[in-house]
């Protein structure tokens, strides 16, 4: 019996016009896309430039290393609450003292305190936790105006990529306390609210401290955003507001 020929004239013509097929790992290449040297020859060849240090494939490895460092460092952290707030708050300010009290109270509850590791509200919360003998975590980010983690961090990591840092907050904080802050604080708060709203992470308490500071934003959410059907009424239940640091800690520690 003659062998069955599954090829067709059209398929043969296409293969002939495209030329050879070359596989570089999972990548298929044909015709002009086939490289003149193999991956191994490029690896072992002389380097004429170090531009590769700043190109996307290398960035992927750097991003991967940040995830590995974060997961391995924080895996055994234990229960913790993230405290967000402005880097511009000064020692002696009312909000600074409030954050320090929050950090201290969390540590007395046996909860780790996770902040962005910078100055201001972050430093205050770390200070309260560290001086109370608690775990004081700082997840810093590479910024022009924040060179080092604050002195009250007793477990710290520095990140280059905001999104990797946010994953660490989302994964290892069982609750979130948000004190007055600017764009960075708002970004972190809404990122967490979005993850909870869309069921990408477990439902965690999100507590805003400072009713006068947050009132305008909350009014806009409850009227403009809700009335325009951009959010659901149930989304408002994701946020709690208080002026009492003790109550903020109580709510943030709820299971």
């Amino acid at each position: 019996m003659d062998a069955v020929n599954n090829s067709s004239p059209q398929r043969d013509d296409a293969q002939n016009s495209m030329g050879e097929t070359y596989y570089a790992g999972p990548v298929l290449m044909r015709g002009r896309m086939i490289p003149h040297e193999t991956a191994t020859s490029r690896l072992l060849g002389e380097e004429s430039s170090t531009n590769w240090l700043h190109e996307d494939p290398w960035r992927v490895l750097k991003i991967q290393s940040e995830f590995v460092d974060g997961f391995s460092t924080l895996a055994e952290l234990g229960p913790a609450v993230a405290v967000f707030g402005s880097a511009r708050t000064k020692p002696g300010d009312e909000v600074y003292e409030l954050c320090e009290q929050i950090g201290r109270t969390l540590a007395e509850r046996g909860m780790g305190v996770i902040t962005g590791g910078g100055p201001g509200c972050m430093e205050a919360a770390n200070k309260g936790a560290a001086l109370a003998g608690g775990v004081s975590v700082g997840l810093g980010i590479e910024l022009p105006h924040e060179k080092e983690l604050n002195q009250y961090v007793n477990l710290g990591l520095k990140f280059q990529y905001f999104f990797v840092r946010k994953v660490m907050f989302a994964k290892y904080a069982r609750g979130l306390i948000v004190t007055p802050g600017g764009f960075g604080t708002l970004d972190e708060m809404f990122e967490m609210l979005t993850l909870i709203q869309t069921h990408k992470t477990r439902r965690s308490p999100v507590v805003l401290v400072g009713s006068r500071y947050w009132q305008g934003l909350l009014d806009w959410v409850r009227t403009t955003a809700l009335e325009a059907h951009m959010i659901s009424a149930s989304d408002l239940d994701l946020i709690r507001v208080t002026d009492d640091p003790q109550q903020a800690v109580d709510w943030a520690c709820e299971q």
Side-chain angles (χ1 to χ4, degrees):
M1 180 181 295
D2 294 337
V4 177
N5 184 359
N6 290 322
S7 63
S8 67
Q10 292 84 358
R11 182 178 302 171
D12 291 339
D13 290 343
Q15 289 177 338
N16 291 333
S17 64
M18 294 300 295
E20 296 181 53
T21 297
Y22 179 92
Y23 285 95
V27 180
L28 177 149
M29 302 178 188
R30 290 195 176 108
R32 61 180 294 180
M33 300 306 297
I34 296 176
H36 298 293
E37 55 183 349
T38 66
T40 300
S41 65
R42 288 196 300 271
L43 174 65
L44 299 179
E46 293 184 4
E47 294 177 6
S48 59
S49 169
T50 59
N51 288 340
W52 58 272
L53 286 170
H54 311 288
E55 294 176 352
D56 288 344
W58 188 250
R59 288 193 184 101
V60 170
L61 297 180
K62 293 170 70 176
I63 291 166
Q64 179 180 327
S65 72
E66 289 202 349
F67 277 116
V68 170
D69 287 342
F71 293 149
S72 61
T73 300
L74 300 174
E76 298 177 346
L77 174 64
V81 169
V83 181
F84 294 155
S86 175
R88 305 185 186 196
T89 306
K90 304 298 182 184
D93 289 353
E94 181 181 353
V95 175
Y96 188 100
E97 301 299 327
L98 176 71
C99 291
E100 185 175 344
Q101 184 177 349
I102 289 171
R104 180 172 62 252
T105 305
L106 285 167
E108 291 169 349
R109 293 279 192 91
M111 303 291 289
V113 173
I114 308 176
T115 79
C121 292
M122 296 172 280
E123 176 186 286
N126 285 134
K127 179 181 179 181
L131 296 184
V135 178
S136 177
V137 181
L139 305 181
I141 188 71
E142 182 182 300
L143 293 174
H145 56 279
E146 291 181 23
K147 302 298 184 184
E148 298 179 359
L149 297 175
N150 69 67
Q151 62 181 318
Y152 300 104
V153 169
N154 53 35
L155 180 63
L157 284 164
K158 287 279 283 188
F159 295 91
Q160 288 185 302
Y161 299 97
F162 269 110
F163 59 88
V164 180
R165 182 185 186 226
K166 288 178 180 178
V167 170
M168 301 305 148
F169 281 121
K171 183 172 178 62
Y172 294 105
R174 64 169 55 179
L176 176 64
I177 296 176
V178 188
T179 64
F183 287 164
T185 301
L186 293 172
D187 173 63
E188 291 161 341
M189 178 184 73
F190 279 115
E191 179 87 29
M192 293 296 294
L193 285 171
T194 301
L195 291 173
I196 297 168
Q197 179 201 48
T198 56
H199 306 288
K200 297 298 184 183
T201 188
R202 63 187 179 281
R203 181 158 182 153
S204 305
V206 178
V207 183
L208 309 189
V209 181
S211 59
R212 186 173 63 178
Y213 184 85
W214 296 110
Q215 192 60 54
L217 175 63
L218 293 173
D219 287 344
W220 177 84
V221 171
R222 290 171 180 147
T223 55
T224 303
L226 182 60
E227 290 175 4
H229 306 291
M230 299 301 176
I231 61 171
S232 302
S234 59
D235 293 334
L236 299 174
D237 297 334
L238 301 177
I239 304 172
R240 299 184 187 183
V241 187
T242 183
D243 293 303
D244 181 0
Q246 184 66 50
Q247 187 175 53
V249 170
D250 290 342
W251 283 343
C253 292
E254 286 181 357
Q255 297 300 308

